[in-house]
Amino acid sequence: MIRNAIQRLMYGRYGTDQLNLFLMGVYLLLYLVFALTRVTLLYWVSFVLLIWSLFRTLSRNMERRRMENARFMRLAGPVLSWLRLRRTIRRDKEHVYFKCPSCGQQLRVPRGKGKITVTCRGCGASFEEKS
């Protein structure tokens, strides 16, 4: 019953995306800092972020919200990719990661093979690496 009411409310509305998740994360962080420090400016900034996020979620102007999210992803995309790569490197204990000296592409080789000759798939450069 409640689920149907929420579905009817959200029909034709934008919903959530990466920018909304980022706004909610910043809101929670600022509100937590406000709770610890009692700086009222932080409370109002976090409140504005919350209202903005709710406005975007309930908006019917989907094209405008998609454009906002695309701009955000253009700015945040490289940072998110870098963070995902760091997480992968930290979790992967079977490979050694390094950059191609010629083109800068990330490469991986099996760990413990000694010195091996690697050919980059991006530029075709060959070089030796220790794994």
Side-chain angles (χ1 to χ4, degrees), residues 8-130:
R8 281 193 312 270
L9 171 74
M10 291 304 293
Y11 183 78
R13 302 196 186 261
Y14 184 66
T16 190
D17 58 9
Q18 292 90 349
L19 177 56
N20 270 0
L21 293 175
F22 175 76
L23 291 173
M24 291 302 291
V26 173
Y27 159 75
L28 289 173
L29 181 70
L30 288 178
Y31 192 79
L32 178 66
V33 172
F34 161 72
L36 296 174
T37 62
R38 294 292 179 197
V39 176
T40 56
L41 178 66
L42 291 176
Y43 172 78
W44 289 109
V45 170
S46 67
F47 184 71
V48 167
L49 287 176
L50 178 65
I51 297 300
W52 185 22
S53 178
L54 288 173
F55 168 76
R56 292 188 80 255
T57 299
L58 298 174
S59 174
R60 291 184 187 263
N61 190 350
M62 293 189 191
E63 186 60 33
R64 181 87 181 245
R65 304 294 85 85
R66 284 188 192 115
M67 287 177 12
E68 290 170 355
N69 190 51
R71 271 192 308 244
F72 171 74
M73 289 307 292
R74 266 196 308 274
L75 292 173
V79 174
L80 295 174
S81 296
W82 184 82
L83 289 172
R84 271 189 231 109
L85 178 65
R86 293 294 149 228
R87 184 179 63 199
T88 300
I89 290 172
R90 192 177 68 246
R91 289 180 179 175
D92 188 4
K93 302 300 181 194
E94 297 175 2
H95 296 93
V96 175
Y97 289 79
F98 56 90
K99 282 189 175 185
C100 171
S102 179
C103 67
Q105 180 172 341
Q106 285 287 336
L107 303 170
R108 72 177 191 167
V109 295
R111 190 178 293 273
K113 298 289 184 184
K115 263 195 172 175
I116 57 174
T117 302
V118 180
T119 302
C120 176
R121 289 183 162 193
C123 65
S126 292
F127 51 94
E128 283 193 4
E129 271 298 321
K130 182 180 177 187

